[in-house]
């Protein structure tokens, strides 16, 4: 992660994959379906990505990652009726042991994509699903690389918020009616 | 979407980094302070004997105490929005602020006769204080919460409450320049009550605004 923060794209890619692999193994052990597991993994990855600036590089990465993952996983697991006592304490210890990518896909991010603005959605889809680069995407969409970067970042931020709002909705609808009052607004 | 595809998107977004809550706080807070100061000048204003009051310990102690509380709570709020950050240093400073307030109260109890305690505590402007401090704190609280959204508070309600305390203390430092009740007995009672109201509002707002 340190190398990733210094701008090393390959290191960042490896780091995110390792986190995904370890997390996937942990979450799956709780008996969730593969697609649900993937949704949770993706939600955590989005959070790690969008909050990575809050990790102070002079401190160890493990506890930070653990705090972020626990914060996201507990809500997401509760929503899906899974265990909330996953062992997340040694996430970073096993980081160098990535797992092969399974065929499973998540559906939450895909659903959330539909709610993005046209420009954000076009940029996110081109780069994630189609695997295009920034420059290529800019050319395809007829905008500048800078505009693509902005749209991508805003799009990712919004995807994370939509996933979080989905947590709220579920809790409000199915478990605690009182939570409905505090959920719902703001992100609508 | 496949996780691999999402990771590709995250790596492509690597160059864009958000600001830290601490560095985001400065511009937001300065903006909030301008609004609060405008409200202060429009609605309250400096007390007429402001310059004479500057020569008294009791008067000067009010903004000093409140700024100490603001510094400690602001520091703590930023730390609460940073996972893994040590909370001890700001908590220590907060404790020092409480100790100064307690010391001022004890000093007052020794300095004036017991018959003066209750009148000084009740003061002449408790209602104004309890209304004005949250009012002046509102723009600051909004600014602080917006800045903290750049962070990752693990306990949104607590971070919101501390943001409320921070805003109330900064607002109280300003209000103290208007307030004519200088007794530490008054300050410890009514300023604290006003800060508690603001902290409660901050907790409620933080629960919604600081989720991520």
């Amino acid at each position: 992660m340190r190398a990733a923060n210094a701008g090393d794209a390959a290191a960042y890619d490896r780091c995110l994959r390792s986190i995904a692999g370890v997390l996937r193994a942990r979450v799956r052990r709780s008996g969730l379906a593969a697609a649900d597991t993937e949704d949770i993994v993706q939600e955590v990855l989005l959070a790690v990505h969008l909050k990575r600036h809050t990790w102070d590089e002079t401190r160890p990465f493990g506890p930070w990652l653990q705090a972020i993952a626990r914060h996201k996983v507990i809500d997401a697991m509760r929503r899906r009726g899974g265990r909330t006592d996953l062992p997340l304490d040694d996430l970073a210890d096993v980081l160098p042991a990535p797992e092969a990518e399974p065929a499973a896909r998540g559906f939450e991010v895909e659903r959330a994509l539909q709610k993005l603005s046209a420009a954000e959605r076009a940029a996110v889809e081109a780069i994630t699903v189609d695997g295009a680069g920034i420059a290529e995407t800019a050319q395809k969409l007829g905008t500048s690389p800078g505009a693509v970067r902005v749209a991508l970042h805003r799009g990712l931020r919004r995807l994370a918020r939509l996933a979080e709002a989905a947590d709220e909705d579920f809790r409000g609808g199915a478990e605690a009616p009182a939570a409905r009052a505090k959920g719902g607004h703001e992100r609508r | 979407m496949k996780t691999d595809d999402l990771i590709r998107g995250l790596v492509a977004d690597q160059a864009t980094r958000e600001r830290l809550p601490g560095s985001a706080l400065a511009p937001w807070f300065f903006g909030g302070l301008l609004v609060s100061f405008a409200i202060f000048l429009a609605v309250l204003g400096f007390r007429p004997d402001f310059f004479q009051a500057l020569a008294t310990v009791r008067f000067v102690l009010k903004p000093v105490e409140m700024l100490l509380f603001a510094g400690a709570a602001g520091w703590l709020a930023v730390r609460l929005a940073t996972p893994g950050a040590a909370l001890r240093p700001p908590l220590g400073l907060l404790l020092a602020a409480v100790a100064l307030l307690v010391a001022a109260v004890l000093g007052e109890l020794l300095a004036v006769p017991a018959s003066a305690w209750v009148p000084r505590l009740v003061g002449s402007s408790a209602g104004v204080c309890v209304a004005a401090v949250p009012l002046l704190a509102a723009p600051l609280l909004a600014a602080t919460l917006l800045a903290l959204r750049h962070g990752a508070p693990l306990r949104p309600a607590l971070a919101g409450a501390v943001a409320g305390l921070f805003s109330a203390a900064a607002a109280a430092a300003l209000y103290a320049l208007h307030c004519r009740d200088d007794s530490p007995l008054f300050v410890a009672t009514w300023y604290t009550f006003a800060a508690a109201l603001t902290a409660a509002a901050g907790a409620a707002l933080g629960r919604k605004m600081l989720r991520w």
Side-chain angles (χ1 to χ4, degrees), chain A residues 166-177:
Chain A
D167 283 2
E168 286 279 302
D169 277 356
F170 181 87
R171 261 179 276 142
E175 285 176 10

Side-chain angles (χ1 to χ4, degrees), chain B residues 34-129:
Chain B
L34 286 181
V35 177
S36 292
F37 193 61
I39 297 175
F40 172 80
L41 289 181
V43 181
L44 300 164
F46 291 94
R47 58 190 266 178
D49 61 344
F50 178 71
F51 289 104
Q52 292 95 296
L54 277 178
T56 68
V57 179
R58 284 189 181 86
F59 174 75
V60 173
L61 204 52
K62 290 194 296 179
V64 168
E65 268 166 357
M66 293 305 132
L67 287 176
L68 192 57
F69 268 107
W75 192 12
L76 182 61
V78 168
R79 288 278 171 110
L80 280 171
T82 315
L87 301 179
R88 251 167 206 278
L91 279 175
L93 189 62
L94 195 59
L95 209 63
V98 173
L100 179 63
L101 189 61
V102 170
V105 167
L106 291 178
E108 179 80 338
L109 291 178
L110 290 174
V112 301
S115 60
W117 290 354
V118 170
R120 288 206 174 202
L121 186 150
V122 172
S124 61
S125 60
V128 180
C129 169

Side-chain angles (χ1 to χ4, degrees), chain A:
Chain A
M1 192 63 174
R2 207 160 265 126
N5 273 351
D8 183 341
Y12 192 41
D13 185 84
R14 273 200 307 279
C15 178
L16 290 176
R17 268 170 219 285
S18 313
I19 295 172
V22 177
L23 204 60
R24 182 179 296 125
R26 299 287 172 84
V27 174
R28 190 176 285 166
R29 223 181 289 160
S30 68
L32 280 187
D36 281 335
T37 302
E38 227 44 37
D39 279 340
I40 293 179
V41 169
Q42 292 179 8
E43 217 181 303
V44 173
L45 289 178
L46 270 169
V48 167
H49 175 71
L50 292 170
K51 298 300 182 187
R52 69 194 189 285
H53 63 290
T54 66
W55 169 50
D56 173 358
E57 289 196 22
T58 62
R59 304 176 70 90
F61 181 60
W64 179 87
L65 174 62
Q66 183 190 320
I68 298 284
R70 174 166 291 134
H71 184 78
K72 294 311 297 181
V73 167
I74 287 179
D75 273 0
M77 292 289 288
R78 192 175 291 144
R79 162 158 63 118
R80 293 171 174 82
R83 291 165 40 188
T84 54
D85 57 341
L86 285 190
L88 294 170
D89 41 321
D90 48 353
L91 271 184
D93 297 347
V94 268
L95 268 188
E99 200 189 64
E101 168 77 10
R105 26 195 300 155
F107 294 98
E108 206 169 71
V109 169
E110 226 155 83
R111 264 198 306 275
L113 262 178
Q114 312 304 319
K115 295 185 188 167
L116 263 52
S117 77
E120 288 166 4
R121 188 176 151 195
V124 173
E125 271 183 347
I127 288 164
T128 57
V129 182
D130 306 341
I134 299 266
E136 196 184 333
T137 305
Q139 211 160 36
K140 199 177 93 182
L141 300 178
T143 56
S144 68
V148 171
R149 280 180 207 284
V150 170
L152 173 66
H153 186 72
R154 289 206 180 131
L156 292 174
R157 211 159 55 182
R158 200 155 150 67
L159 287 179
R161 271 194 215 143
L162 287 164
E164 197 272 316
D167 283 2
E168 286 279 302
D169 277 356
F170 181 87
R171 261 179 276 142
E175 285 176 10
R180 174 122 232 137
K182 68 170 192 169
H185 36 63
E186 202 228 342
R187 320 238 192 253
R188 286 298 105 99

Side-chain angles (χ1 to χ4, degrees), chain B residues 137-148:
Chain B
L140 304 177
L141 179 58
T144 308
L145 290 173
L146 286 172
L148 292 185

Side-chain angles (χ1 to χ4, degrees), chain B residues 4-45:
Chain B
D4 257 3
D5 291 343
L6 178 68
I7 288 177
R8 198 179 306 128
L10 302 184
V11 173
D13 189 44
Q14 191 184 14
T16 310
R17 285 167 67 95
E18 303 259 336
R19 270 181 311 166
L20 278 167
S23 58
L25 183 57
W28 278 112
F29 187 75
F30 185 69
L33 203 57
L34 286 181
V35 177
S36 292
F37 193 61
I39 297 175
F40 172 80
L41 289 181
V43 181
L44 300 164

